[in-house]
């Protein structure tokens, strides 16, 4: 077992049983399969099996499962083991395995170690450890640890020094801690000190294009948290990002003022008129409150304005399906296709398949899919298979996907698991073996350079 190989498989989900299929195995009662492959280098199986053992009170067995992975020094395994130990109340052991990696020089260990200390009554020690490294790590950790250590003012002074910094080569010259980010951290400190007005003033430093989107989002969230409705309304009226409107609408909805939430999105020259994301949020709000027809109208306007944006068409089609109006979704897609001379690439064409299935049946939808010029491609196969599986025709779904393995290995393996053909499923996943072409930056070694 090798840390770099483990990391590559975990990141790419290649040549392994991915977490969603481990869950599928467990849901189908194949605990023995998960246990078996936990001992064969399958990280996601090992993690799931260790968690199950822990829940059964078999903590020693759980740690034994993770031991070969920990022995590689792979940071992901260290973090997982520490989280399990902490969850079991074995805090000192969690601290110890993290400390060992920190002292060996792992670049991510210091922040994890100090956060762990801070959560368990040793925040002062954690802050002292972090203090000399403020130029080497994210100040987020220092700011969070400072709260538990009672050293907010010292943290504020350190962060304030960054608020006057002007990056010459963002994000490289300051490791990403530009002036806007520093202001956001300082505002976070002031808010938890109860100095709300000061936090608001900080986040309003620089307006319009000079105000970071993250600061706008933080400001909107802060105003909502503290029930500053009038200020949130004023911010929503002038902020050209959608964050303030979104927070305002959410706050009004939570207070039972659904009409007010809808009006926030629909204000004159508001974000819905210009931003499809805000239109989407409005449509979801309307649908949540039984106004599906209005939701469809909102997204139809967006689909007309942004001809061919697939995610907008997906949303419109899903709303039509939910409202039992597949013919309306198909009419819009047909009009779009006609405007393009009757031709539609697969990435737009497949959106109509669930609509056809709802109106005319699955076989009709599959016939349409196979008649498309791209209907026999590997990327069309999962859509056809999904229609079949949804109709309970899983064997046919497997037959559709089989010629396109390993390109569709996860989909194919999932359906094989549903059919209890476990060995085949695992074999399909392992057809997609890959090896890293270069070491991952997140893998860890005790050999320099770290």
């Amino acid at each position: 077992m090798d840390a770099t190989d483990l990391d590559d498989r975990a990141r790419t989900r290649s040549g392994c049983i991915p977490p969603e299929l481990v869950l599928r195995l467990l849901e189908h009662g194949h605990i023995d399969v998960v246990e078996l492959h936990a001992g064969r280098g399958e990280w996601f199986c090992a993690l799931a099996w260790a968690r199950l053992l822990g829940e059964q009170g078999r903590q020693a067995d759980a740690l034994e499962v993770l031991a070969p992975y920990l022995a590689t020094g792979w940071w992901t395994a260290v973090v997982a083991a520490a989280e399990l130990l902490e969850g079991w109340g074995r805090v000192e052991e969690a601290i110890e395995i993290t400390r060992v990696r920190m002292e060996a020089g792992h670049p991510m260990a210091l922040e994890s170690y100090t956060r762990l200390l801070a959560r368990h009554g040793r925040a002062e020690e954690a802050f002292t450890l972090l203090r000399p490294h403020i130029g080497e790590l994210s100040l987020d950790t220092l700011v969070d640890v400072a709260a538990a250590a009672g050293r907010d003012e010292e943290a504020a002074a350190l962060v304030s020094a960054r608020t006057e910094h002007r990056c010459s080569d963002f994000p490289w010259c300051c490791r990403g801690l530009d002036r806007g980010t520093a202001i956001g951290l300082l505002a976070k400190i002031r808010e938890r000190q109860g100095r709300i007005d000061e936090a608001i003033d900080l986040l309003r430093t620089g307006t319009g294009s000079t105000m970071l989107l993250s600061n706008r989002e933080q400001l909107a969230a802060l105003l909502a948290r503290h029930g500053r409705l009038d200020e949130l309304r004023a911010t929503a009226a002038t902020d050209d990002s959608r964050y303030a409107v979104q927070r305002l609408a959410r706050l009004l909805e939570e207070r039972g003022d659904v009409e007010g939430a809808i009006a926030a999105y629909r204000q004159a020259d508001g974000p819905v008129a210009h931003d499809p994301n805000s239109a989407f949020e409005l449509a979801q709000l309307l649908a949540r409150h039984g106004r599906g027809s209005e939701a469809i109208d909102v997204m139809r306007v967006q689909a007309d304005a942004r001809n061919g944006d697939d995610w907008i068409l997906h949303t419109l089609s899903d709303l039509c399906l939910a409202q039992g109006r597949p013919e309306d979704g198909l009419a819009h897609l047909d009009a779009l296709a006609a405007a393009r001379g009757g031709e539609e690439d697969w990435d737009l064409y497949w959106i109509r398949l669930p609509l056809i299935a709802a109106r005319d049946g699955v076989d009709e939808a599959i016939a349409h899919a196979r008649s498309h010029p791209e209907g026999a491609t590997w990327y069309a196969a999962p859509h056809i298979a999904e229609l079949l599986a949804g109709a309970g025709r899983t064997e046919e779904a497997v037959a559709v996907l089989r010629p396109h393995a390993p390109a569709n290995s996860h989909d194919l393996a999932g359906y094989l698991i549903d059919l209890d053909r476990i060995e085949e499923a695992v074999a399909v996943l392992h057809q997609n073996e890959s090896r890293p072409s270069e070491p991952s930056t997140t893998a860890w070694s005790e050999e320099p350079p770290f």
Side-chain angles (χ1 to χ4, degrees), residues 100-157:
V100 168
R101 269 61 183 186
M102 180 192 69
E103 292 185 349
H106 192 285
M108 299 173 68
L110 176 61
E111 293 184 46
S112 293
Y113 178 66
T114 50
R115 285 184 181 276
L116 189 53
L117 289 177
R119 285 197 297 272
H120 295 283
R122 295 168 63 180
E124 184 70 30
E125 178 184 348
F127 190 89
T128 302
L129 279 169
L130 288 167
R131 182 66 177 79
H133 299 280
I134 58 172
E136 305 163 25
L137 48 78
S138 166
L139 273 184
D140 291 72
T141 303
L142 186 93
V143 168
D144 290 344
V145 168
R151 296 176 71 170
D152 270 343
E153 279 306 320
E154 187 173 347

Side-chain angles (χ1 to χ4, degrees), residues 3 103 118 123 160 181 183 212 291 301 308 355 413 419:
E103 292 185 349
S160 293
T181 303
I183 287 171
L212 272 189
R291 296 165 67 168
V301 169
L355 297 166
L419 294 169

Side-chain angles (χ1 to χ4, degrees), residues 307 330-344 349 352:
N307 193 349
L330 286 168
H332 190 93
L333 292 169
D334 289 342
L336 175 62
R340 295 183 169 191
E343 295 184 3
E344 247 178 348
Y349 186 83
R352 70 180 59 242

